Amino acid sequence: MLWPMFFVALAFCGTAVLGVLAVRVAVEVRRLSRAVGDSAERITRATEELERAALPLAARTGSVPPR
């Protein structure tokens, strides 16, 4: 009777460890997705700024009609 109880306790501990690791992974995935979203927003803003900065130069060269 000792061995089956030992194995049940060991299985419970293994399941608990896997549960804790799953929660940690979920938290890290959330943080990573937030960082990716922030980076995408910053890239979008930088692209818009670059387009605004390049518009006068393109208008001077005649490739784009002035607005």
Side-chain angles (χ1 to χ4, degrees):
M1 188 69 176
L2 175 67
W3 289 109
M5 290 183 71
F6 174 72
F7 289 128
V8 167
L10 192 62
F12 175 77
C13 289
T15 304
V17 167
L18 288 176
V20 168
L21 291 176
V23 169
R24 289 181 63 187
V25 166
V27 168
E28 290 298 322
V29 165
R30 263 188 148 171
R31 190 165 58 177
L32 178 64
S33 66
R34 250 187 246 122
V36 168
D38 292 344
S39 297
E41 182 64 32
R42 287 174 40 201
I43 289 171
T44 302
R45 276 189 267 129
T47 302
E48 291 169 355
E49 289 176 14
L50 181 62
E51 286 175 354
R52 274 196 304 272
L55 190 62
L57 181 61
R60 272 191 278 162
T61 62
S63 63
V64 175
R67 289 186 179 184

